[in-house]
Amino acid sequence: METWNQNPSDAVRAHTPLLVNRRIDERVEGCVRYMAEKGDRAEMSRYLERLEREWDISRAISVSTAAMSALGLLLGRRDGGGWRVLSAVATSLLLQHGVFGFGPLSEVFRALGVRTRREIDLEKFAIKALRGDFERIPNDGGPLAKANAALVAAQS
């Protein structure tokens, strides 16, 4: 499939190893191709509901650092304060992600397959295009051509 997921301003993607980005993109391509071949609007709608609930990397980092910080404060209260360092580390990781758009936790979550909001939205728009929500997707051509057109339309 032609390269469709290009955005130089996406700091998380830019700092993620190419192999990890490719694995995430291939998962999306496979799903969109499957939906194009199957053509089941009800299944597409169910899948879109699942995508609406998917956590993006910013949410995953926010929740994990908040949990680490709370744990550090709780354990630090019981053990004389040594665990409070965990809260400081968690806060600094969250700050780094907020300021630079990426950090060590981004690498961990990306390796686990957690996607950016933009990546999730691209897949959503491609599925919506296949479902017929937009007029840009041609009806001629096979499922692969339709899947590719949906991915390209979602990007624009």
Side-chain angles (χ1 to χ4, degrees), residues 70-133:
L71 181 64
L73 291 173
L74 181 67
L75 292 175
R77 185 170 181 213
R78 290 182 50 204
D79 292 338
W83 279 97
R84 290 188 184 145
V85 171
L86 181 60
S87 296
V89 169
T91 303
S92 65
L93 289 171
L94 182 60
L95 180 64
Q96 181 181 19
H97 181 76
V99 171
F100 299 110
F102 65 94
L105 284 180
S106 299
E107 294 179 30
V108 171
F109 282 113
R110 291 293 283 175
L112 294 172
V114 179
R115 301 187 288 171
T116 65
R117 172 55 41 203
R118 184 176 175 283
E119 289 169 333
I120 296 167
D121 287 344
L122 281 173
E123 184 175 9
K124 281 182 2 190
F125 292 133
I127 300 297
K128 286 180 179 184
L130 288 173
R131 190 173 66 174
D133 294 6

Side-chain angles (χ1 to χ4, degrees), residues 1 126 129-130 136-138 143-155:
M1 224 178 235
L130 288 173
R136 293 177 128 176
I137 305 305
L144 183 61
K146 287 170 64 173
N148 193 36
L151 289 165
V152 171
Q155 175 99 5

Side-chain angles (χ1 to χ4, degrees), residues 16-27:
T16 299
L18 184 61
L19 182 64
V20 174
N21 282 336
R22 191 69 216 141
R23 189 175 70 227
I24 290 170
D25 291 347
E26 286 172 357
R27 191 176 109 217

Side-chain angles (χ1 to χ4, degrees), residues 25-63:
D25 291 347
E26 286 172 357
R27 191 176 109 217
V28 171
E29 290 169 6
C31 178
V32 173
R33 199 175 302 122
Y34 170 81
M35 292 293 181
E37 290 169 359
K38 189 126 185 201
D40 183 351
R41 290 176 54 90
E43 185 175 355
M44 289 179 198
S45 295
R46 285 189 300 274
Y47 187 70
L48 284 168
E49 289 173 14
R50 192 176 116 205
L51 288 175
E52 289 292 335
R53 293 186 304 271
E54 183 175 339
W55 283 23
D56 64 42
I57 194 161
S58 292
R59 185 175 186 186
I61 288 173
S62 296
V63 170

